[in-house]
Amino acid sequence: MCQPADQQPRLTLQGLTPLAEFCPKLRSLTVYVDATHFCFNHINSSSSISKSRVKFLEVHRSPIGQSSIPWAAAYLSEVFPRLRKIDWVEDDDEEDEERRAYPKRWLEVMNYLEVCRYIRGHQQDDLFCDMCDSD
Protein backbone atom coordinates (compact mmCIF):
# COMPACT_ATOMS: atom_id res chain seq x y z
CA MET A 1 0.00 0.00 0.00
CA CYS A 2 2.98 2.28 0.26
CA GLN A 3 2.90 4.65 -2.67
CA PRO A 4 5.18 7.69 -2.86
CA ALA A 5 3.18 10.88 -2.39
CA ASP A 6 4.59 12.37 -5.57
CA GLN A 7 3.56 9.40 -7.72
CA GLN A 8 0.18 9.33 -9.44
CA PRO A 9 -1.71 6.06 -8.88
CA ARG A 10 -2.10 3.80 -11.90
CA LEU A 11 -5.40 2.31 -10.79
CA THR A 12 -8.53 4.28 -11.73
CA LEU A 13 -12.00 3.94 -10.24
CA GLN A 14 -13.09 1.91 -13.27
CA GLY A 15 -10.46 -0.63 -12.27
CA LEU A 16 -12.59 -1.49 -9.22
CA THR A 17 -15.38 -2.97 -11.37
CA PRO A 18 -13.72 -6.41 -11.74
CA LEU A 19 -13.23 -6.58 -7.96
CA ALA A 20 -16.92 -5.96 -7.43
CA GLU A 21 -17.86 -8.44 -10.12
CA PHE A 22 -15.45 -11.28 -9.37
CA CYS A 23 -14.97 -10.90 -5.60
CA PRO A 24 -18.56 -10.69 -4.31
CA LYS A 25 -17.62 -11.71 -0.75
CA LEU A 26 -15.13 -8.86 -0.33
CA ARG A 27 -16.34 -6.59 2.50
CA SER A 28 -13.62 -3.96 2.76
CA LEU A 29 -11.09 -2.60 0.34
CA THR A 30 -8.00 -0.41 0.65
CA VAL A 31 -6.83 1.17 -2.60
CA TYR A 32 -4.84 4.07 -3.99
CA VAL A 33 -6.81 5.23 -7.04
CA ASP A 34 -6.72 8.08 -9.51
CA ALA A 35 -10.07 9.87 -9.52
CA THR A 36 -8.77 13.19 -10.85
CA HIS A 37 -10.65 13.11 -14.16
CA PHE A 38 -13.59 10.80 -13.79
CA CYS A 39 -16.93 10.56 -15.55
CA PHE A 40 -19.09 7.55 -16.33
CA ASN A 41 -22.50 6.68 -17.74
CA HIS A 42 -23.23 3.19 -16.51
CA ILE A 43 -21.25 0.08 -15.93
CA ASN A 44 -21.08 -2.38 -18.79
CA SER A 45 -21.73 -5.62 -17.01
CA SER A 46 -23.68 -8.79 -17.59
CA SER A 47 -25.72 -7.92 -14.52
CA SER A 48 -26.97 -4.42 -13.88
CA ILE A 49 -27.21 -4.98 -10.12
CA SER A 50 -23.90 -5.49 -8.34
CA LYS A 51 -23.75 -8.26 -5.79
CA SER A 52 -20.70 -6.74 -4.10
CA ARG A 53 -20.71 -6.74 -0.30
CA VAL A 54 -18.09 -4.02 0.11
CA LYS A 55 -19.17 -1.73 2.95
CA PHE A 56 -15.88 0.01 3.68
CA LEU A 57 -13.48 1.67 1.26
CA GLU A 58 -10.12 3.13 2.33
CA VAL A 59 -8.74 5.45 -0.35
CA HIS A 60 -5.59 6.46 1.57
CA ARG A 61 -4.41 9.72 -0.11
CA SER A 62 -6.05 9.04 -3.46
CA PRO A 63 -6.30 12.11 -5.69
CA ILE A 64 -9.77 13.22 -6.74
CA GLY A 65 -10.74 16.18 -8.89
CA GLN A 66 -13.50 18.57 -7.83
CA SER A 67 -15.56 17.81 -10.95
CA SER A 68 -15.19 14.06 -10.32
CA ILE A 69 -17.00 14.09 -6.97
CA PRO A 70 -20.62 13.41 -8.06
CA TRP A 71 -19.49 10.97 -10.77
CA ALA A 72 -17.29 9.05 -8.35
CA ALA A 73 -20.19 8.77 -5.90
CA ALA A 74 -22.60 7.57 -8.58
CA TYR A 75 -20.05 5.02 -9.80
CA LEU A 76 -19.19 3.74 -6.31
CA SER A 77 -22.89 3.54 -5.46
CA GLU A 78 -23.52 1.37 -8.50
CA VAL A 79 -20.46 -0.86 -8.15
CA PHE A 80 -20.61 -1.14 -4.35
CA PRO A 81 -24.31 -0.70 -3.47
CA ARG A 82 -23.69 -1.63 0.19
CA LEU A 83 -20.85 0.89 0.63
CA ARG A 84 -21.38 2.81 3.86
CA LYS A 85 -18.05 4.41 4.64
CA ILE A 86 -15.14 5.87 2.74
CA ASP A 87 -12.05 6.60 4.76
CA TRP A 88 -8.88 8.47 3.84
CA VAL A 89 -5.65 9.66 5.39
CA GLU A 90 -5.33 13.34 6.15
CA ASP A 91 -1.92 14.90 6.04
CA ASP A 92 -1.83 18.16 7.99
CA ASP A 93 1.77 18.70 6.89
CA GLU A 94 0.86 18.60 3.20
CA GLU A 95 2.05 21.78 1.53
CA ASP A 96 0.37 21.27 -1.85
CA GLU A 97 -3.04 22.96 -1.71
CA GLU A 98 -4.57 20.57 -4.26
CA ARG A 99 -3.52 17.53 -2.24
CA ARG A 100 -4.84 19.09 0.96
CA ALA A 101 -8.27 19.25 -0.72
CA TYR A 102 -8.50 15.48 -1.34
CA PRO A 103 -9.88 14.46 2.09
CA LYS A 104 -12.63 17.09 1.88
CA ARG A 105 -13.52 15.88 -1.61
CA TRP A 106 -13.74 12.27 -0.49
CA LEU A 107 -16.04 13.44 2.32
CA GLU A 108 -18.23 15.04 -0.35
CA VAL A 109 -18.25 11.74 -2.24
CA MET A 110 -19.52 10.08 0.95
CA ASN A 111 -22.28 12.68 1.23
CA TYR A 112 -23.30 12.10 -2.38
CA LEU A 113 -23.39 8.36 -1.69
CA GLU A 114 -26.23 8.99 0.74
CA VAL A 115 -28.17 10.76 -2.01
CA CYS A 116 -27.45 7.95 -4.49
CA ARG A 117 -28.71 5.35 -2.00
CA TYR A 118 -31.84 7.38 -1.38
CA ILE A 119 -32.54 7.71 -5.12
CA ARG A 120 -31.84 4.03 -5.77
CA GLY A 121 -34.22 3.09 -2.95
CA HIS A 122 -36.99 5.21 -4.46
CA GLN A 123 -36.34 3.83 -7.94
CA GLN A 124 -36.80 0.33 -6.56
CA ASP A 125 -40.03 1.45 -4.85
CA ASP A 126 -41.25 2.93 -8.14
CA LEU A 127 -40.34 -0.26 -10.00
CA PHE A 128 -42.25 -2.32 -7.44
CA CYS A 129 -45.28 0.02 -7.72
CA ASP A 130 -45.16 -0.15 -11.53
CA MET A 131 -45.17 -3.94 -11.33
CA CYS A 132 -48.17 -3.84 -8.98
CA ASP A 133 -50.05 -1.40 -11.21
CA SER A 134 -49.60 -3.61 -14.28
CA ASP A 135 -52.14 -6.16 -12.95
Side-chain angles (χ1 to χ4, degrees), residues 8 23 31 36 41 64 81 97 115 129:
Q8 194 71 1
C23 304
V31 292
T36 51
N41 291 325
I64 181 167
E97 190 173 326
V115 174
C129 290

Side-chain angles (χ1 to χ4, degrees), residues 54-105:
V54 170
K55 290 185 177 184
F56 177 78
L57 178 65
E58 161 74 58
V59 294
H60 197 57
R61 290 185 175 101
S62 296
I64 181 167
Q66 182 68 39
S67 62
S68 300
I69 293 169
W71 299 109
Y75 169 80
L76 290 170
S77 173
E78 192 166 320
V79 174
F80 302 123
R82 292 174 180 85
L83 185 61
R84 295 295 179 260
K85 182 166 174 59
I86 299 173
D87 210 355
W88 51 86
V89 174
E90 288 196 51
D91 189 353
D92 295 331
D93 296 332
E94 179 61 61
E95 294 179 12
D96 184 296
E97 190 173 326
E98 179 69 12
R99 287 183 182 166
R100 275 199 320 264
Y102 296 157
K104 181 181 176 199
R105 291 176 187 167

Side-chain angles (χ1 to χ4, degrees), residues 119-131:
I119 291 169
R120 189 174 47 250
H122 280 279
Q123 286 173 336
Q124 290 172 350
D125 290 346
D126 290 346
L127 177 64
F128 179 74
C129 290
D130 289 347
M131 290 178 355

